Amino acid sequence: MTKLSDTQLVILSAAAGRPKGRVLPLTVALKGAAVGKVVDSLIAKGLIEETPATAKDARWRDAEDGAVTLRITRAGIKIINAEAADEDAAAETTTPRTREGSKQAKLIEMLKRPQGASIAEIAETFKWAGHTVRGVVAEALKKKLGLAVTSEKIEGRGRVYAIRTEG
């Protein structure tokens, strides 16, 4: 696969989302000769191409037969689609998971019960201090795993955590 810089990827991504695959105006701030170098590189790789400009198009340059603009090619769109697929795959592989039979898995099962689980119940089950229970719920379950854990103060039970499942 063609190796591209972040700047090149930003330019291609913007073009892929525009009508007629227009590259211009550039969405990155480049100074001086850098614009020409980046564009020339993308043209050389066959990822963008020069095309006659219409009155609505931003001009890239003036040619003998009229103004020229830039548009993304099919190869450029394939690169962007491949990059997006790679990012999706990376996100899937880095999604935190809970190992079956672990303390975390047991805690989640406790919280999924209809009555949830109080801090005292969790602390007793795992031999943890109350602040450890609160930390595990906030950091591991809510922040890292993204679970929707509710917290409610119930008379006679104290603070009760629950994960409500649909259904």
Side-chain angles (χ1 to χ4, degrees), residues 68-147:
V68 174
T69 191
L70 300 168
R71 72 173 177 200
I72 191 169
T73 63
R74 288 179 190 219
I77 291 171
K78 279 184 180 180
I79 291 281
I80 291 304
N81 289 341
E83 286 287 326
D86 288 348
E87 287 175 13
D88 290 346
E92 288 174 14
T93 60
T94 59
T95 301
R97 294 194 175 97
T98 301
R99 205 173 55 248
E100 193 175 323
S102 66
K103 286 182 181 180
Q104 191 175 62
K106 290 176 186 174
L107 174 58
I108 291 169
E109 285 306 310
M110 287 179 76
L111 299 184
K112 284 184 176 179
R113 300 180 307 190
Q115 72 273 22
S118 70
I119 290 177
E121 293 167 340
I122 297 167
E124 185 179 327
T125 300
F126 296 104
K127 307 296 184 228
W128 291 342
H131 67 274
T132 303
V133 172
R134 289 187 291 277
V136 168
V137 169
E139 287 294 315
L141 302 186
K142 287 184 175 180
K143 195 173 181 179
K144 289 185 180 168
L145 294 178
L147 297 174

